[in-house]
Amino acid sequence: MTGRPEVLFPLFGTLTALDGVGPKTAQTLANIGVEKPRDMLMTLPQSGVDRARRASVREVNAPAVVTVAVTIGAHYPPKTRGRPYRVHVTDAETTFQLVFFHARGDYLQKLLPTGQERLVSGKVEIFDGIAQIVHPDHVVPLDASDDIPAFEPVYPLTAGVTQKLMWRASRSALAMMPELAEWIDAPLMAREGWPDWDDALEQAHNPKKMQDLSSDHPARRRLAYDELLAHQITLALARAASRRAKGRVSEATGVLQDKVLQSLPYRPTAAQTRAVAEIAADLAAPHRMNRLLQGDVGSGKTLVALMALLCAVEAGGQGVMMAPTEILARQHLEGLRPLAESAGVVLEILTGRDKGNERAAKLAALAAGEIQILVGTHAVFQKDVVFHDLRLAVIDEQHRFGVAQRMELGAKGAATDVLVMTATPIPRSLALAQYGDMDVSVLDEKPPGRTPVQTALISTARMDDIVERLRKAVVEGRQAYWVCPLVEESEVVDMTAAEERFKRLRAALGEGVVGLVHGQMPPAEKDAAMARFVAGETKVLVATTVIEVGVNVPNASIMMIERAESFGLAQLHQLRGRVGRGAAASTCLLIYQPPLSESGKRRLEILRETEDGFRISEEDLAMRGAGDVIGTAQSGIPRFRIADLERQAGLMALAQTDARKLLQDDPQLDSPRGQAARKLLWLMEQDKAIRLISVG
């Protein structure tokens, strides 16, 4: 596929080709991401102003925008500096004033010649009992009334760019639109009642009433769908390319898995069994697996991961499980080793701490195939780590792990299958946007034996009561986490807050009862503090959010979250998931600082109402927007100009099905619809996808 189609050249030319845009304005527009005519087309009005003609300013209730024909009367220039310049005008029913500040008299004489008629439009206000329009938005001769649209679109602005300029520039961008063949499936267009691409843009830029600005308007839905479809075609192409990449066939026998299942005191949930079956089928297929295992806090992902790794071992290969931190790697080791031993499988750990002879011995055993499953941190990426026959890599907590690392890991084994695990329930629309190239398995049931967590809200004003309750619980032999607030983004300030709280609790509860972990500690100290808590030597662990991911202390049954209102919903849900892992009834106290904002209150109430991570994530998305839920910087979520992931989740799912079907029927995009879809990819700047087709 050669370069950009010629028919699209004008839309990708310079912005100065647009009416009214000079080099300086072009610079300014670049600040809001408008760099070429195509961006101007994709920048839709965000609201509108009713400028329908009225006979008199009396027809509206001030303050309001009004458009009326007037006869111009006397001019009253200011007597002293800094006073306004006033012009009296008369409409069909009444006289009122046009008011200007810092205006030149000669300019106003030209604009508003006494005795003549003009059409004026602006916001009318009552001041000292007199109606006036300060700085009218429009003043035009009556025969030029078409210059004032009856409903004027209002564009998102940046300093130095006026609505008038946006109006002119968007009109001239609309005039550049080429005729393009339709890339949306015809039956879908008919079912949804969507207009053609060019009609949709015309309608979106020329709203006739407020309702036309809604994201549910057919023109806007269609344009949102174009963006989502281009994005999903890109992901579907990536998925097709990775499926074409030759994989290894790893046929599980089930022998080792059965041994583990027999040693378990409970039966796996139906969701776990289903996920293991999906993974085993992928491993046995000739293409590379690229699957996401999504499960809420405590849904039993670890067991599924072990079963997957055992499939690789049963097929005669090795597996690796990667964790983002050393603490988590050690936890996986503790959780998995007894189970692996029950099946007679050799499981070892490799982290940055392994040095010298010990490290050399592990590497030799790995290369010889004596270690069947390796658990580790990113230390397993180092050049000297060589596997005998790596079949499967399980990656825990994707966000700390970009696509680049997925590829690096893939390079370690001839054709390693990849399973990514995430404990963050991501709303469906975001999961599709971020992991659309992967197949997804969801664990949506809780294994037996987990107790529900009682969640309560309590104000910081009652801190003494809270500490007293904690003292009693400790005397009864219970263990608790105390999570300190997130202060701005500074780990140093977080550390100070944590140290302060640690000192106060130590004074209240006694020496040796309270431990402390925060992000600024050396890893060895952090691990030692965790180990003391895991062993039950310390009863209360004061921590910054380092404990959010994966720490497992079944005896800990109390979670205190200080200044809970400063955390996001998903994060609070993750923290709460650290308790309720044992048989003891567990509580989570959300300690907040009054007064709570509306949204802060709503967030804490949702947590009190439900423990369902998926419901919580949907609420989180609705309240915060897509970028924040995952943290945009590392989320890999594309920025859409028109599509709204919160409100148009259904469109994203539709786009995914449509894109996958299109490529199934036409892998090279050669059909007429495929050719049209290629133009869509260029139009939506999905150059990555275009490269994938040309390679394919």
Side-chain angles (χ1 to χ4, degrees):
M1 179 159 182
T2 45
R4 179 180 295 124
E6 211 165 304
V7 58
L8 297 177
F9 283 179
L11 292 182
F12 285 83
T14 69
L15 210 49
T16 47
L18 296 178
D19 198 12
V21 180
K24 199 169 153 226
T25 312
Q27 251 332 102
T28 316
L29 281 167
N31 296 341
I32 51 169
V34 177
E35 292 167 10
K36 46 197 173 303
R38 172 243 172 228
D39 302 336
M40 183 61 80
L41 282 180
M42 299 289 287
T43 305
L44 300 186
Q46 57 190 20
S47 66
V49 180
D50 181 357
R51 293 199 191 274
R53 289 272 299 264
R54 308 277 181 170
S56 167
V57 291
R58 286 185 159 170
E59 290 186 18
V60 299
N61 291 324
V65 172
V66 68
T67 308
V68 290
V70 296
T71 304
I72 297 151
H75 283 234
Y76 295 92
K79 299 261 192 322
T80 53
R81 275 186 68 104
R83 306 293 298 154
Y85 188 116
R86 297 173 186 276
V87 182
H88 284 212
V89 296
T90 309
D91 64 22
E93 291 180 27
T94 186
T95 297
F96 62 100
Q97 297 178 353
L98 304 182
V99 180
F100 299 87
F101 288 92
H102 318 297
R104 296 196 321 279
D106 52 349
Y107 162 73
L108 290 175
Q109 293 287 352
K110 265 209 222 65
L111 183 71
L112 297 156
T114 301
Q116 294 201 16
E117 291 192 298
R118 289 288 183 270
L119 194 61
V120 294
S121 184
K123 189 177 190 180
V124 63
E125 295 175 288
I126 307 293
F127 191 72
D128 282 345
I130 296 163
Q132 58 179 38
I133 295 179
V134 180
H135 292 280
D137 303 319
H138 300 271
V139 176
V140 300
L142 297 189
D143 58 6
S145 64
D146 288 355
D147 288 1
I148 305 182
F151 186 82
E152 184 178 44
V154 174
Y155 287 89
L157 282 189
T158 175
V161 180
T162 62
Q163 286 298 344
K164 264 187 199 152
L165 188 138
M166 290 296 284
W167 163 264
R168 278 175 65 189
S170 55
R171 298 316 102 181
S172 84
L174 287 168
M176 285 183 180
M177 277 192 301
E179 269 201 35
L180 297 174
E182 186 53 70
W183 47 75
I184 296 181
D185 191 33
L188 176 64
M189 289 263 295
R191 189 185 86 202
E192 296 287 335
W194 286 339
D196 292 342
W197 177 70
D198 43 359
D199 285 348
L201 279 166
E202 282 285 354
Q203 290 178 32
H205 282 280
N206 292 295
K208 298 284 182 274
K209 53 187 183 303
M210 273 322 221
Q211 289 87 313
D212 296 354
L213 295 159
S214 142
S215 57
D216 290 333
H217 186 277
R220 290 209 173 208
R221 271 183 78 83
R222 188 239 141 98
L223 295 169
Y225 189 74
D226 291 336
E227 271 193 302
L228 299 176
L229 181 63
H231 172 63
Q232 287 296 337
I233 290 175
T234 304
L235 291 176
L237 281 163
R239 177 171 176 259
S242 74
R243 294 191 143 213
R244 276 200 303 275
K246 276 280 165 267
R248 297 277 301 281
V249 170
S250 300
E251 296 244 13
T253 58
V255 175
L256 301 174
Q257 297 177 65
D258 284 345
K259 287 184 178 164
V260 169
L261 289 175
Q262 272 153 21
S263 74
L264 289 176
Y266 56 85
R267 294 183 50 186
T269 64
Q272 284 174 314
T273 309
R274 184 179 64 230
V276 172
E278 288 169 347
I279 294 163
D282 275 359
L283 288 169
H287 53 248
R288 277 169 91 160
M289 168 165 81
N290 196 14
R291 186 171 280 281
L292 175 71
L293 177 64
Q294 201 187 359
D296 199 354
V297 180
S299 55
K301 288 181 296 297
T302 318
L303 178 66
V304 174
L306 176 67
M307 292 300 185
L309 291 161
L310 291 175
C311 291
V313 176
E314 288 170 356
Q318 291 166 298
V320 64
M321 171 122 168
M322 305 260 323
T325 63
E326 177 137 356
I327 292 178
L328 280 174
R330 297 208 170 273
Q331 266 200 319
H332 282 314
L333 179 75
E334 284 156 24
L336 296 175
R337 188 172 259 164
L339 295 173
E341 279 171 358
S342 67
V345 169
V346 182
L347 185 131
E348 207 27 276
I349 187 168
L350 183 68
T351 69
R353 267 210 232 158
D354 291 304
K355 301 274 186 289
N357 294 343
E358 194 185 346
R359 181 179 163 90
K362 282 186 185 176
L363 294 183
L366 199 61
E370 289 154 16
I371 295 175
Q372 292 159 299
I373 297 176
L374 184 67
V375 173
T377 55
H378 50 260
V380 306
F381 277 147
Q382 288 155 358
K383 293 279 179 282
D384 58 349
V385 180
V386 181
F387 288 85
H388 178 252
D389 178 10
L390 179 62
R391 300 286 186 97
L392 171 66
V394 179
I395 301 174
D396 189 10
E397 275 306 328
Q398 165 77 8
H399 319 321
R400 320 264 150 80
F401 237 82
V403 177
Q405 283 108 327
R406 286 214 293 250
M407 293 178 137
E408 230 178 297
L409 194 64
K412 279 272 176 217
T416 313
D417 284 316
V418 176
L419 177 68
V420 174
M421 299 200 300
T422 170
T424 318
I426 304 168
R428 178 117 192 274
S429 57
L430 292 191
L432 291 176
Q434 194 183 13
Y435 302 115
D437 60 325
M438 304 179 90
D439 297 299
V440 183
S441 295
V442 179
L443 297 179
D444 46 14
E445 298 172 55
K446 287 233 162 76
R450 297 208 48 143
T451 49
V453 179
Q454 286 295 319
T455 304
L457 275 54
I458 189 162
S459 148
T460 45
R462 297 181 48 201
M463 195 55 89
D464 295 347
D465 300 355
I466 297 170
V467 174
E468 181 52 31
R469 276 170 73 174
L470 183 58
R471 203 184 57 75
K472 283 196 178 124
V474 167
V475 171
E476 289 165 12
R478 296 172 69 181
Q479 277 182 282
Y481 295 97
W482 187 296
V483 179
C484 292
L486 263 180
V487 190
E488 280 106 49
E489 283 298 297
S490 147
E491 286 198 353
V492 181
V493 186
D494 285 352
M495 172 182 84
T496 329
E499 285 173 342
E500 271 304 295
R501 177 55 62 207
F502 167 67
K503 284 181 195 144
R504 288 187 180 175
L505 287 175
R506 192 175 56 185
L509 306 173
E511 285 290 326
V513 177
V514 189
L516 171 68
V517 282
H518 57 69
Q520 297 284 303
M521 288 169 129
E525 263 183 55
K526 214 186 298 187
D527 286 2
M530 291 298 269
R532 283 195 296 277
F533 185 62
V534 171
E537 292 163 29
T538 48
K539 300 297 180 199
V540 177
L541 185 65
V542 174
T544 50
T545 50
V546 288
I547 60 161
E548 161 186 2
V549 184
V551 184
N552 190 13
V553 182
N555 189 44
S557 59
I558 301 169
M559 170 63 72
M560 309 279 203
I561 304 174
E562 191 174 345
R563 298 296 301 274
E565 76 281 0
S566 68
F567 295 91
L569 256 175
Q571 216 177 6
L572 288 168
H573 176 63
Q574 288 291 331
L575 287 167
R576 173 170 64 183
R578 300 293 120 228
V579 296
R581 293 173 164 248
S586 296
T587 24
C588 172
L589 276 194
L590 302 173
I591 307 167
Y592 66 88
Q593 174 106 23
L596 276 179
S597 67
E598 264 308 299
S599 69
K601 187 168 170 226
R602 176 87 194 100
R603 276 212 300 275
L604 301 184
E605 284 173 348
I606 290 164
L607 280 159
R608 193 169 56 189
E609 285 163 25
T610 179
E611 280 195 74
D612 174 349
F614 287 95
R615 200 191 130 203
I616 288 170
S617 75
E618 296 286 355
E619 292 274 0
D620 201 13
L621 176 63
M623 287 170 65
R624 287 200 298 164
D628 298 335
V629 173
I630 309 198
T632 315
Q634 17 98 38
S635 69
I637 287 207
R639 295 293 188 122
F640 295 116
R641 280 178 186 263
I642 297 173
D644 174 342
L645 288 181
E646 289 97 277
R647 296 195 183 77
Q648 299 178 318
L651 277 185
M652 180 65 103
L654 190 60
Q656 185 186 56
T657 323
D658 197 7
R660 287 187 174 184
K661 183 173 183 318
L662 172 63
L663 285 171
Q664 202 179 334
D665 301 344
D666 179 14
Q668 289 300 314
L669 296 181
D670 292 328
S671 67
R673 186 182 168 205
Q675 291 291 345
R678 289 174 177 232
K679 295 217 175 58
L680 169 70
L681 291 172
W682 280 111
L683 190 61
M684 296 300 173
E685 304 184 296
Q686 295 284 351
D687 308 9
K688 207 165 57 207
I690 292 151
R691 284 202 302 279
L692 284 168
I693 306 176
S694 38
V695 191

